[in-house]
């Protein structure tokens, strides 16, 4: 069985904990009911921001579940969310603004779920 090393969390690397409020703000840009479609240039910037947030938060969620038992339900759910987020990060959207917006919305939903898991798992820590 092949295992892959996980990225160190920000705290393990001596950095600051993730800025969940900023990440949630990026999510709202795409998921708010009254959100206006972005321009092509803005879409590229916002999509890169979502991807960066996800890449920072995945190791944080992995760290948060590291001490949980293998059969723990929140651990299992967080692992499923991490797997889905990684799959979405590997997708290249079709050309065009509408495809790009749909892709960014999928990234935003995954980031939102990662934020939920991080907050829920972090609140359980002593």
């Amino acid at each position: 069985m092949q295992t892959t090393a996980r990225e160190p969390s920000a705290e393990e690397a001596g950095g600051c904990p993730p800025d969940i409020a900023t990440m949630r703000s990026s999510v709202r840009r795409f998921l708010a009911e009254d959100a206006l479609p972005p321009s092509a240039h803005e879409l590229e910037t916002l999509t890169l921001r979502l991807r960066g947030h996800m890449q920072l938060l995945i190791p944080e969620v992995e760290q948060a579940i590291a001490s949980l038992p293998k059969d723990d339900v929140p651990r299992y759910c967080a692992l499923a969310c991490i797997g889905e987020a990684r799959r979405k990060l590997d997708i290249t959207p079709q050309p065009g603004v509408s495809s790009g917006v749909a892709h960014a919305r999928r990234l935003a939903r995954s980031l939102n779920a990662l934020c939920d898991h991080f907050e829920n798992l972090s609140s359980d820590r002593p």
Side-chain angles (χ1 to χ4, degrees), residues 8 12 79 99:
E12 289 176 327
L79 282 172
S99 293

Side-chain angles (χ1 to χ4, degrees), residues 72-102:
D72 188 74
V73 172
R75 178 185 184 276
Y76 179 79
C77 292
L79 282 172
C81 181
I82 289 167
E84 183 67 17
R86 285 193 171 126
R87 282 187 290 279
K88 287 179 181 175
L89 285 170
D90 288 340
I91 294 171
T92 302
Q94 296 294 318
V97 173
S98 62
S99 293
V101 169

